[in-house]
Amino acid sequence: MAFRQNGGSSTCVVEPIELQDVSGLLTAPQEAKLAPSRPSLLTSETRGSHEHKDNDPVENLPSPITHVAEKLERWNHPQLNFWRTLAAFWSFVVMGSNDAAYGALIPYLQQYYNLTFLVISLIFLSPLAGYTASALLNNSIHLKFGQRGVAIIGPGCHLVAYIVIAVHPPYPVLVVIFMLAGFGNGLADAAWNAWIGNMANPNEVLGFLHAFYGLGAVLAPLIATTMITKGRKLPWYYFYYVMIAMAAIELVTSVTAFYRATGAVFRANNPRTTDTKDNRMKEALVRLPNARVTWICALFLLGYVGVEVALGGWIVKFMLEVRGGADFASGMTATGFWMGITVGRIVLGFVTPKIGEKMAIAIYLPLTMALELLFWLVPSFYVSAIAVSFQGFFLGPLFPAAVVAATKLLPRHLHVSAIGFAAAFGGSGAAIFPFAVGAIAQAKGVQVLQPVVLALLVVILVLWLALPKIRRKTE
């Protein structure tokens, strides 16, 4: 390493062995403003390279991690990040409430509309269109509108969807409007995961982010079950008045916090995310080795979210019909499951980085499988309720750990495209697998929930073990 004096400023020249033929100019004024302590990477050929204005300034840098310390933003610094983090936390409360409400409401929707297992399961499948659209449009929305666009579109979709559901329209309308709710979920899920995944201490902060998802998932069955089974025994759609209020708060807090995060700001802070010279989505999904990481993470999250929502969505029906539980007690089983997820994300969020994401998930998943076997094979209401709560505890940190692993395995310029795609694609597991359980239950009964969940756990363990070795970045 050497220093050259150029006018009044010093230029740091770094010539690491692993960077072969570093011929591009790294002049990132925006980045320099954000992290002035970060050294610049220049070669002896950079003096006359200002004439190549059309080149991406870091296009010629190779993809592997350069072991250069990078000062990362924190959740509470700069101060605006504190308010943005809180807004993202509340957004995840709304998402968790949205997903967990299905499980508590299915028995009452089925009775209200007089539907079969297969037809009622369409409310799980319909958000798939929304999740798919959000996976494909996430990067474009960031480029054009920035995080401000996500802050408006995501909560706006939630608000419109809940207003329509609250007027309890005919069932086909309900199926269609859940697509809009799915789009809002997928967009916010992808955006806030990618943003927080690039911060310092991402395991801990993502653990809290997803714990708030779990908090929403705890509150939704509790509030819905209480409204429907206790006191005045309100109709199921009254619960969506609560969701309207929550979505309105989400819209106000998100827009206020992210209003200055425009598309121009995003493009300036993420120069390689623009598609002027190359399509980053194509690079993330097609070109090896990055495509391998993106698709493994996406399929892992697909299976994980499928397990999470299939258990949370069908547990009430299972406890009612197979374990013979009472209405309120069965509804509280879903609350116990989501409570386990919430506590697991907070507690294990501090354990996971100490033993490493790869090893931690390789431990959590076999423990979850053992609990699933206990839940399946011991025909006791209380054993099932306890086992499913502990399943939630060990399932909790899986999503945050997968996001952190992706940030460590992929170059920074692909984080929004790849992690956004993986998170939104994974969210479609909330549609596919719960629907599959309902479709099979139509012929075989709701007890098919257990073998389906166990098979998914085995598949995502195999996928996780197929990820490349995670190297530690110096931060």
Side-chain angles (χ1 to χ4, degrees):
M1 178 181 294
F3 289 87
R4 294 199 183 99
Q5 197 72 20
N6 183 13
S9 61
S10 294
T11 301
C12 176
V13 181
V14 183
E15 297 176 346
I17 295 173
E18 58 266 38
L19 296 183
Q20 301 174 2
D21 187 22
V22 183
S23 57
L25 170 64
L26 182 62
T27 55
Q30 213 43 42
E31 200 170 329
K33 290 177 185 176
L34 293 173
S37 62
R38 184 180 176 185
S40 301
L41 296 180
L42 299 176
T43 69
S44 58
E45 301 170 2
T46 60
R47 297 295 180 190
S49 59
H50 285 286
E51 63 209 34
H52 302 295
K53 294 181 180 179
D54 293 332
N55 288 345
D56 186 330
V58 288
E59 185 62 27
N60 295 318
L61 286 176
S63 293
I65 296 169
T66 61
H67 299 282
V68 179
E70 177 182 0
K71 188 169 179 60
L72 300 173
E73 289 189 3
R74 304 185 67 84
W75 70 272
N76 58 353
H77 184 80
Q79 188 176 13
L80 182 58
N81 278 3
F82 173 76
W83 301 109
R84 289 178 172 177
T85 302
L86 291 184
F89 284 175
W90 180 255
S91 183
F92 267 63
V93 171
V94 177
M95 282 189 270
S97 299
N98 179 88
D99 289 348
Y102 300 144
L105 295 176
I106 270 185
Y108 310 103
L109 281 166
Q110 191 174 16
Q111 183 180 7
Y112 183 85
Y113 288 107
N114 192 25
L115 302 171
T116 64
F117 276 123
L118 181 62
V119 178
I120 196 66
S121 297
L122 288 173
I123 66 166
F124 287 118
L125 189 62
S126 64
L128 177 61
Y131 283 117
T132 303
S134 68
L136 298 174
L137 296 175
N138 172 58
N139 198 50
S140 298
I141 290 172
H142 272 81
L143 287 170
K144 190 164 186 178
F145 305 111
Q147 290 169 319
R148 180 204 285 180
V150 176
I152 295 171
I153 298 170
C157 289
H158 284 154
L159 188 59
V160 172
Y162 301 149
I163 289 172
V164 174
I165 297 168
V167 300
H168 50 100
Y171 186 70
V173 177
L174 208 63
V175 171
V176 172
I177 206 64
F178 273 122
M179 296 179 188
L180 191 62
F183 182 78
N185 263 28
L187 193 61
D189 195 13
W192 309 149
N193 268 298
W195 177 60
I196 290 180
N198 278 304
M199 288 185 176
N201 306 113
N203 267 298
E204 291 87 340
V205 184
L206 280 171
F208 275 94
L209 178 72
H210 287 269
F212 276 93
Y213 176 95
L215 176 62
V218 168
L219 293 174
L222 180 62
I223 294 171
T225 303
T226 303
M227 289 175 71
I228 295 168
T229 64
K230 300 291 183 181
R232 297 173 59 188
K233 297 189 176 181
L234 299 169
W236 65 268
Y237 49 83
Y238 272 55
F239 170 73
Y240 281 93
Y241 295 140
V242 177
M243 294 299 295
I244 290 169
M246 292 173 68
I249 295 170
E250 181 193 14
L251 181 61
V252 171
T253 55
S254 296
V255 172
T256 302
F258 289 97
Y259 190 78
R260 284 190 268 169
T262 62
V265 171
F266 179 81
R267 292 190 298 272
N269 292 340
N270 299 270
R272 288 196 68 180
T273 309
T274 63
D275 54 4
T276 54
K277 191 170 177 70
D278 196 4
N279 187 319
R280 301 306 176 196
M281 185 64 79
K282 182 179 178 181
E283 185 178 349
L285 300 181
V286 178
R287 296 182 185 171
L288 295 174
N290 295 327
R292 175 190 172 193
V293 174
T294 303
W295 279 107
I296 289 177
C297 288
L299 292 169
F300 176 85
L301 293 179
L302 178 78
Y304 163 73
V305 175
V307 169
E308 181 184 80
V309 181
L311 269 174
W314 287 103
I315 184 65
V316 177
K317 195 72 173 174
F318 179 87
M319 298 301 270
L320 283 169
E321 295 198 358
V322 180
R323 295 291 184 254
D327 287 355
F328 186 76
S330 297
M332 289 304 97
T333 306
T335 298
F337 170 71
W338 292 109
M339 183 68 77
I341 282 184
T342 305
V343 175
R345 283 172 174 168
I346 295 174
V347 174
L348 296 180
F350 291 92
V351 175
T352 301
K354 295 187 184 304
I355 60 179
E357 292 80 19
K358 193 80 181 281
M359 178 61 71
I361 303 310
I363 295 171
Y364 301 155
L365 275 171
L367 290 173
T368 308
M369 292 178 200
L371 289 162
E372 174 58 30
L373 286 170
L374 186 67
F375 180 24
W376 181 10
L377 300 176
V378 179
S380 164
F381 182 91
Y382 297 106
V383 170
S384 296
I386 293 169
V388 82
S389 297
F390 277 100
Q391 272 185 281
F393 180 80
F394 289 111
L395 284 170
L398 265 61
F399 199 119
V403 172
V404 173
T407 63
K408 291 182 177 181
L409 290 168
L410 293 167
R412 182 182 177 90
H413 70 278
L414 292 183
H415 285 178
V416 168
S417 298
I419 297 173
F421 174 82
F425 184 85
S428 63
I432 296 170
F433 295 110
F435 173 77
V437 170
I440 300 170
Q442 178 67 35
K444 303 293 185 182
V446 76
Q447 60 266 27
V448 300
L449 173 67
Q450 308 309 335
V452 170
V453 167
L454 185 62
L456 282 174
L457 289 170
V458 172
V459 170
I460 64 175
L461 177 59
V462 172
L463 286 167
W464 184 257
L465 296 176
L467 270 179
K469 184 178 180 181
I470 300 172
R471 296 180 181 178
R472 291 185 179 274
K473 281 184 181 179
T474 56
E475 295 181 356

